[in-house]
Amino acid sequence: MAFDQYHEPPEELSQETRTFVRMIVSLGEEAEAINWYEQRISVEKDKQAKAIMENAQHEEFKHFGMDLEFLLRKKPKWRETLQAILFKKGDIVELGEKGEEASE
């Protein structure tokens, strides 16, 4: 069975790399679900339906965060970069540049 998530032959990839790929794909799927809910919520008129969708979106956001944390634990340089950017005040682009420098 072929999977379009691989750019290299899966049988040549280590188990660690295949798990990494699954988590990257999962992260993208969670982001996509968050996006879909955002669009639905923005047009929904029924308050109860909207509340249910907001609750579901929050679950997807939690899953996104868990996927991201898993990946950051596997890639310490990613964590170094993001620690310089996330939850900081200031210009995001400048923080990104500093984060990139910190992980080199």
Side-chain angles (χ1 to χ4, degrees), residues 19-67:
T19 297
F20 180 82
V21 169
R22 288 184 197 109
M23 294 305 292
I24 286 284
V25 169
S26 180
L27 183 74
E29 290 169 348
E30 299 300 345
E32 186 172 40
I34 292 165
N35 173 40
W36 291 345
Y37 280 117
E38 189 68 23
Q39 292 180 48
R40 292 172 187 160
I41 290 165
S42 74
V43 297
E44 183 54 55
K45 304 288 188 244
D46 185 287
K47 288 183 181 182
Q48 187 172 30
K50 187 173 185 172
I52 292 167
M53 287 182 238
E54 288 171 339
N55 182 274
Q57 184 189 45
H58 187 75
E59 283 292 313
E60 301 298 348
F61 192 69
K62 177 184 76 172
H63 300 156
F64 179 91
M66 291 164 42
D67 290 348

Side-chain angles (χ1 to χ4, degrees), residues 55-90:
N55 182 274
Q57 184 189 45
H58 187 75
E59 283 292 313
E60 301 298 348
F61 192 69
K62 177 184 76 172
H63 300 156
F64 179 91
M66 291 164 42
D67 290 348
L68 181 59
E69 180 61 24
F70 177 90
L71 292 165
L72 294 176
R73 289 180 184 188
K74 299 295 182 183
K75 300 289 184 180
K77 283 192 173 203
W78 290 14
R79 181 174 297 281
E80 288 176 30
T81 301
L82 292 185
Q83 283 178 328
I85 302 167
L86 298 176
F87 311 110
K88 307 277 186 186
K89 293 183 189 254

